[in-house]
Structures are given as structure tokens and as C-alpha cells.
Amino acid sequence: MLQTFQPRGLALDTLLRLPAALRVRAFATAAPSPSPTSAQSPIPPPWRPSTVLDEWVGREARPISLRQLTFFGRSLTESRLLGSANYVRLELPTRIAHRLRNMQTLPYSALTNQHISHVYELYYTAFERLRKVPEVRTMNDNDKFCDVLKMCLKEHLSVIPRLAMGILEIQDSVSGDECDRFMTTLLRSRISRRVIAEQHLALTETFHSPWHFDGKKSHMSPDDEFVGEIFLKCNAKEIIEQCAKTASELTAKAYGPDVAIPKIVLQGHLDTTFPYIPSHLEYIIGELFRNSIQAVVEQEGSAKPPPIEVLVCEAAQHVIIRVSDQGGGIDRDILPYLWSFAKGPRRKKRLQNLGQVPQLAATMQELQLPPSDPDVVGATGEKFGSPLATLSSRPPDLRIGIGLPMSRIYAEYWAGSLELHSLEGYGCDAFLQISRLGNRNEVLSTRATMDAV
């Protein structure tokens, strides 16, 4: 019986190494507390069977590339759509199971943290819901499965801020380096799950569109440039200009109409296009502009601030985007922790700011003020349970300390990179590298790396 049930948060191998008397005590302390003394009291998680989770953890995730997603959706037929549904149906619980096992390797005291426990419960609920979905054989089955996907996407909007707050609070029992590895693994997996879920939802939407004719490529879409969520001709110039406009307006609202906003000067290969998911690129570039514009405004305070220069370079395999500002560089006390979720000198302030961010889908719209109508739906990556108001009540200059490390995870997800070089007293250069061909598999955490945690 001890091998069949384990308290959530206590690793199975650790439990089985305990003497029998201590195993009993471990189970006893894992029982739900009948009357916690306060809302902040840690509530031990309930018993759960581990055998079902073990079965799914034994499977490896099957990574996929943008090119494969595009090829699969170009000539969309009912058979292909049902194949997509069954791929997602098996892949999502597999990837969630791996992350649940990640969380079970944390010390028990860390897993009883209210934020980590909240995320664990969301993941386990989604795992149970998804693993019980039967094989998708008909379009009616697919529509029911899509309803399940939408529900999961909406419920998990609170994951990022709760994870970020949790790792800032558990550092008495988990080192900062361990917290960063844990956060990176969970966020990378989260991106992967949202990509395949949203892609299938978008393909289903395409299949039901009035202009779609089953299996005919010429009727894939009105302009044949989108395949699900993937934009086949993503143009760096257009994305940069859109993000620059949004970030400039955001800064103007934060600092008032009397503050001069630096111009964005765009140069290089401005006609280059590549397949990509626009919301990913918008989020990365939007965060870079947000940081650069604010740094210049706070550094200069003059009527004519120096411009922010953006250079687009097209190579055979990659597109490189460099963002250069003269905002004074990064403070020495922050620079060593630039890519860390857990470490740094502003932990308390970050916790306070994250508390004002109840939901976070990580899209460009979240760099903006929430609209007055919470039901408005954005154009990029926000159709499935993520309204523009996901950052309700967030001031435009609210800094939550996770923008750059999250941007790097997004860049690396499709085998790209994000680097930043600071020249103290002068400014910063950020280098974003993107795979131009879309033929690189998504970067996932394998079971081997998971077991090494």
C-alpha cells in the first residue's frame, strides 16, 4: 500500500527509503488539516495514487517543429484534424505528468507553499481530466475535446504569477539555483502545452470556417499565410514597429505627456520573413522595448532623448535582431541576476508586484493597460481563455522581475537565443536570434534531465 499511495510533494524514492515508522508518520502528516489556523497556514495535500502518474511519466514527450505543425495543417482534412486531436490528447497528460513528478521532487515544506500547492492542484486536475478523454473518433468527439482544452487553458492563467511568487517564498528550503532550474523547466513545458493545444484549437476553428473546403490547400485560409497559430510570413519589421508603438504608448501613460519618448530607428534587412508564432515574438520584443524605453526616459529626462536603434540581420539559418539603447546600462547589483527568477536584491518588491498580477498568459497585450471591456479578444494568441484584461489593475510601470528570463525561455523554445550586454554608464545591446527556417524542434526537458533534478 505504501508503494501505491504517496503524499503529494514527498518524492516516492525518498518515502521508500524511510523506516516503516517514519513512513506511517509521513502519511499521517500528509492528511488534510481539518481546521487551519489561518489562510496563510500550509495545508498538507491529500493522498493520491502514484501508479497512474508513474505510467505517464514513463512515456517520453514527442517534440515537434514549426515546419511539422505547418505541413500538418496546410491541407487540412477531417482525418488529419482527428489525428491532431489524438496527438494532443496523449501528449498533454504526458507532459503534465513529467512536471508533476518534477514538483514531487521538491522538499515537502516547499510543496505546501500556498502558491506551489495551487499550481500542483491545477496540474493534477488537468492531468486527471485529460488522461480520461477517450480516443477522438468523430468531429463531435473533437468538439468535446476542444471544450476541455479551452477550460484547461483558462484555468491555468494563474500559473505563471503563482509559480513566480512561490519560488521567491521557498528559498529557505530550496536554493536559488534549484528554483531557477525548476521554474525554467515548468515554464518551458507550459509553453509547449499551450502551443500544441492552441494550434489544435485554431485548426479546428479553421476546419469549421465557411471558406474551408476539406483537404484543398488553395482554400486553407483567405490569405494562405496563417496555419493555425503559425504565421508563415512573419515580418520582423512589422512586428518591431507594432511593439515599438505599444511600448511607447505604455511609457507615455506611465510618465505623463511632458516626458519625451525616444524614437525607434529601424535598419537592416527589413523585408525578411520567417515562420513563427507572432505572440511569442511580440512578447520578447515588447519586453525588450519596454525596458529600453523606460531606461532611456529615466536616464535622460531631456527634451530630445537618444534614439533606440534596432538592426535586423538575415542569415542563411537565422534572423538576428539587435536592440541598442543609451539608457545607462544595468545596475551592478542587478546584472548578475538578470536571468534569474529567484535571485536578486529586490525579492520583497517583486513579491508585492506579482501579487497584483492574478493572471498572466505572457502575450504582448499584457504589456498594455487592460481595456474597459474585459470581453474584448486580442488578435495574437489570446483567443482561448485569455482576455486582454489578464493583468487587471496593473499599472503600466509595474515591474514584476520575470520579463527577461521569460523572454529568453520563449526565444530558446524554438531553438533561438537571447543575450544582453550592458556597458555601465552608457546603455545595453540585446541580441535576439531566431531560427529562420522553422525546422528546429521545440526544446523540451527530457525525462533524463528531469530525473537529474
Side-chain angles (χ1 to χ4, degrees):
M1 183 63 69
L2 286 173
Q3 295 182 12
T4 305
F5 291 87
Q6 67 180 93
R8 174 169 60 84
L10 192 61
L12 182 60
D13 57 348
T14 302
L15 179 64
L16 295 179
R17 286 197 299 267
L18 294 174
L22 291 183
R23 292 186 210 171
V24 174
R25 182 175 298 178
F27 277 103
T29 57
S33 174
S35 56
T37 56
S38 70
Q40 298 300 319
S41 299
I43 301 176
W47 295 358
R48 283 222 171 87
S50 66
T51 50
V52 172
L53 190 62
D54 290 342
E55 176 189 342
W56 288 87
V57 170
R59 307 182 184 190
E60 281 286 9
R62 294 176 292 167
I64 198 166
S65 69
L66 281 170
R67 178 175 289 183
Q68 288 172 309
L69 287 172
T70 301
F71 177 80
F72 190 84
R74 287 287 294 221
S75 299
L76 190 60
T77 64
E78 180 175 326
S79 176
R80 284 195 170 191
L81 187 62
L82 296 181
S84 170
N86 284 303
Y87 168 78
V88 176
R89 178 182 65 88
L90 296 175
E91 199 69 10
L92 288 182
T94 298
R95 298 186 185 194
I96 294 176
H98 284 206
R99 303 293 73 81
L100 286 168
R101 184 53 50 86
N102 269 136
M103 300 178 81
Q104 290 177 347
T105 64
L106 292 174
Y108 186 72
S109 59
L111 198 51
T112 56
N113 172 273
Q114 59 176 330
H115 304 299
I116 303 296
S117 180
H118 170 82
V119 174
Y120 188 97
E121 290 301 318
L122 284 177
Y123 277 24
Y124 215 106
T125 299
F127 169 71
E128 287 292 314
R129 184 184 293 147
L130 289 164
R131 77 176 182 85
K132 294 176 181 177
V133 174
E135 182 180 358
V136 179
R137 299 176 181 272
T138 66
M139 290 304 299
N140 185 51
D141 291 343
N142 180 68
D143 291 340
K144 292 178 181 178
F145 178 53
C146 286
D147 290 338
V148 174
L149 292 181
K150 291 175 184 177
M151 183 187 305
C152 291
L153 290 173
K154 186 173 183 179
E155 288 177 352
H156 285 215
L157 288 176
S158 62
V159 164
I160 295 177
R162 295 298 287 268
L163 272 178
M165 287 188 284
I167 65 165
L168 289 173
E169 291 180 351
I170 65 174
Q171 292 182 40
D172 291 338
S173 55
V174 183
S175 70
D177 289 337
E178 286 290 320
C179 283
D180 280 335
R181 282 193 290 270
F182 172 75
M183 187 75 167
T184 298
T185 298
L186 262 68
L187 288 181
R188 185 182 292 147
S189 178
R190 181 183 185 275
I191 293 170
S192 76
R193 297 193 308 271
R194 292 191 77 90
V195 164
I196 62 176
E198 291 182 355
Q199 178 70 1
H200 179 69
L201 288 170
L203 290 178
T204 299
E205 196 174 87
T206 295
F207 191 85
H208 289 313
S209 298
W211 42 262
H212 177 262
F213 294 88
D214 195 6
K216 295 186 178 180
K217 178 180 175 180
S218 60
H219 291 86
M220 181 60 208
S221 68
D223 53 12
D224 207 27
E225 292 183 353
F226 268 97
V227 177
E229 292 290 284
I230 302 169
F231 191 27
L232 302 179
K233 299 179 181 178
C234 195
N235 183 276
K237 176 177 180 290
E238 293 176 358
I239 296 286
I240 290 168
E241 289 176 343
Q242 176 186 340
C243 293
K245 181 175 182 292
T246 300
S248 298
E249 292 174 350
L250 169 70
T251 309
K253 290 177 182 178
Y255 293 91
D258 297 331
V259 173
I261 305 299
K263 291 184 178 180
I264 309 293
V265 178
L266 187 56
Q267 306 171 51
H269 301 116
L270 304 185
D271 295 329
T272 183
T273 62
F274 46 89
Y276 217 74
I277 298 178
S279 58
H280 290 193
L281 187 57
E282 289 173 350
Y283 183 77
I284 300 168
I285 295 178
E287 281 290 348
L288 295 178
F289 279 156
R290 175 189 175 99
N291 292 337
S292 289
I293 293 174
Q294 288 184 347
V296 171
V297 166
E298 293 175 358
Q299 173 78 5
E300 292 295 324
S302 63
K304 192 175 181 180
I308 294 171
E309 299 179 352
V310 182
L311 179 64
V312 180
C313 301
E314 179 183 4
Q317 300 286 330
H318 305 285
V319 173
I320 301 172
I321 300 173
R322 186 188 73 184
V323 179
S324 304
D325 67 60
Q326 298 177 43
I330 300 170
D331 293 342
R332 284 188 177 185
D333 62 334
I334 298 176
L335 190 59
Y337 311 107
L338 196 63
W339 306 108
S340 174
F341 291 97
K343 297 178 289 185
R346 300 177 181 175
R347 174 180 167 187
K348 185 175 291 186
K349 183 63 176 177
R350 288 166 65 184
L351 267 172
Q352 293 173 351
N353 290 347
L354 281 164
Q356 302 179 49
V357 186
Q359 295 182 334
L360 183 61
T363 56
M364 179 61 188
Q365 284 76 14
E366 291 170 342
L367 304 180
Q368 307 177 42
L369 284 170
S372 57
D373 181 2
D375 295 324
V376 173
V377 176
T380 54
E382 293 215 296
K383 293 182 291 186
F384 308 114
S386 177
L388 294 184
T390 48
L391 292 187
S392 57
S393 75
R394 181 195 184 202
D397 57 346
L398 181 66
R399 297 180 180 179
I400 55 180
I402 62 175
L404 278 178
M406 276 192 58
S407 295
R408 173 177 270 187
I409 291 175
Y410 268 99
E412 293 176 346
Y413 178 70
W414 293 117
S417 64
L418 178 62
E419 301 293 338
L420 193 145
H421 302 279
S422 174
L423 185 61
E424 187 177 5
Y426 184 78
C428 289
D429 280 358
F431 294 86
L432 171 64
Q433 179 176 289
I434 297 165
S435 175
R436 178 170 171 258
L437 304 179
N439 60 348
R440 303 290 297 275
N441 280 350
E442 53 183 339
V443 177
L444 301 175
S445 297
T446 64
R447 190 164 74 244
T449 59
M450 179 192 71
D451 292 340
V453 173

